[in-house]
DNA sequence: TTATGTGAACCATTTCACAGCC
DNA sequence: GGCTGTGAAATGGTTCACATAA
């Protein structure tokens, strides 16, 4: 089944909201309420949630815990992912310490950098290897996902090198550049500076 | 004139690419080439670029420098923006040191935190104030844009407090939560953990 | 009566196809 | 001949409106 990107994004948001509602002891919610809390139309919420079968009760709403489990099941990965983080700079360290990054779906198994000070030691408790050894370590640790927190200039070469391992399936890049994905590798880019530019552009033009 | 969000995002990308091409000494590019380098269809590139008037030369292509200036003009803000950064944690510091964040379009004028160690001193050379003084400092320094690098739990209260200053126009939030925007304030959220979840979801389902 | 689930209508964005200019 | 600019067609996503079930 194919599911649109905006839908996946909202599913994650529903999940977070439901977790919160669960803690507050809420038992049921309506699409209307979810919409208000997340800034979405109720019809949008219903369409998203009905995408994977009838889960709500007509005339009542959605059972919080049941819906949560349901969405978790949809988002849940087929297995635990091993992740590698390339670039032990401040952004990299920030991510490693980031609370929302703790999950039982994945774990960061290796850090890569070129700084001799860092290579051989640990960063936030995770062993740090030289970037040159990417293919070797990726295979050894069966790492399928990389997070890139490196400058734009070295991003593409890291992608090409890492692809040699053959285990690589996905990349989340924070490098402010467009990367070319090798066959069979899915690349997602989060470009912080682009987001700020977009915000400033709309502040200029739209003057909400 | 209204311009779609995906278009703005691509305009920023064109800009970055053109800068690079300029450094390489390139004089002209075709929509075809731009598309290949950025992973877009040539027709998409042409549509985006023709949005603000005829800028290319038929049978030739786009003059690199001329196109760069043209897009810069579109993206350029009406004035220099003063920005405040709330949350002097690792992510906040990472952003302050982030190269792609240096720009003549804006500058970070104040940092806010609740840690007594930081308040009163400077962070990356920028004075740090207590978060409680947000409205006061925002007015004093005429800050219109805030970047939030704080936990989800305190994000909404910071937004509400900052809105009291009346100068606030836009927010770029890294807090993993949905924020409610006060009237007249544009909120952009970058949710790093959601991006990773999306990537893992597509790795599970699409198996490209 | 209330709130979901969903086909149909609507709107936005992308892609096509070709006319127009260099 | 080559490449842009652009109306028209196609695609993708959101919203509506109402049948349906609790």
């Amino acid at each position: 089944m194919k599911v649109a990107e905006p839908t996946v994004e909202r599913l994650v948001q529903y999940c977070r909201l439901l977790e919160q509602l669960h803690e507050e002891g809420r038992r049921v919610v309506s699409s209307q309420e979810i919409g208000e809390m997340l800034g979405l139309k109720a019809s949008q919420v219903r369409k998203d949630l009905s995408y994977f079968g009838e889960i709500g009760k007509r005339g009542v709403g959605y059972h919080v815990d049941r819906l949560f489990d349901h969405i978790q099941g949809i988002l849940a990965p087929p297995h635990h992912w091993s992740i590698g983080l390339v670039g032990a700079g401040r952004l990299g360290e920030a991510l490693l310490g980031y609370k929302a990054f703790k999950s039982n779906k994945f774990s960061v198994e290796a850090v890569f950098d070129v700084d001799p000070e860092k290579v051989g030691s640990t960063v936030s408790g995770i062993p740090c290897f030289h970037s040159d050894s990417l293919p070797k370590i990726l295979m050894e640790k069966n790492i399928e996902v990389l997070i890139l927190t490196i400058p734009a200039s070295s991003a593409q070469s890291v992608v090409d090198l890492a692809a040699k391992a053959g285990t690589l399936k996905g990349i989340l890049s924070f490098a402010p550049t467009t990367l070319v994905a090798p066959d069979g590798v899915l690349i997602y880019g989060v470009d912080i500076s682009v987001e700020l530019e977009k915000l400033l552009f709309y502040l200029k033009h739209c003057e909400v």
Side-chain angles (χ1 to χ4, degrees), chain A residues 4 12-13 15 19 21 29 34 39 43 48-49 51 61 70 75 94 98 104 111 115 161 170 182 197:
Chain A
V12 179
Q13 288 182 35
C15 236
E19 208 161 14
L21 291 175
V29 250
I34 295 177
S43 56
D48 288 339
L49 297 181
Y51 231 81
H70 188 243
L75 296 175
Y98 191 33
N104 53 1
V111 171
D115 183 346
L161 180 63
E197 289 258 18

Side-chain angles (χ1 to χ4, degrees), chain A residues 86 112-114 129-139 143 146 148 150 154-168 171 179-182 185 187:
Chain A
V86 188
F112 299 88
D113 206 300
V114 291
F129 304 91
H130 194 281
S131 300
D132 291 344
S133 57
L134 265 163
K136 179 166 158 283
I137 305 294
L138 257 54
M139 272 190 283
I143 290 173
L146 282 183
L148 306 186
I150 48 179
S154 51
Q156 186 65 56
S157 59
V158 163
V159 171
D160 295 339
L161 180 63
K164 287 184 184 162
T167 61
L168 194 63
I171 294 173
L179 296 171
V180 179
V185 177
I187 296 196

Side-chain angles (χ1 to χ4, degrees), chain A residues 64-98:
Chain A
V64 172
D65 293 0
R66 190 160 125 70
L67 181 56
F68 178 77
D69 291 345
H70 188 243
I71 301 179
Q72 281 289 37
I74 296 160
L75 296 175
H79 61 82
H80 180 95
W81 298 93
S82 290
I83 295 185
L85 185 133
V86 188
R90 273 182 292 200
L91 181 55
E93 286 197 61
L95 292 187
L96 289 176
Y98 191 33

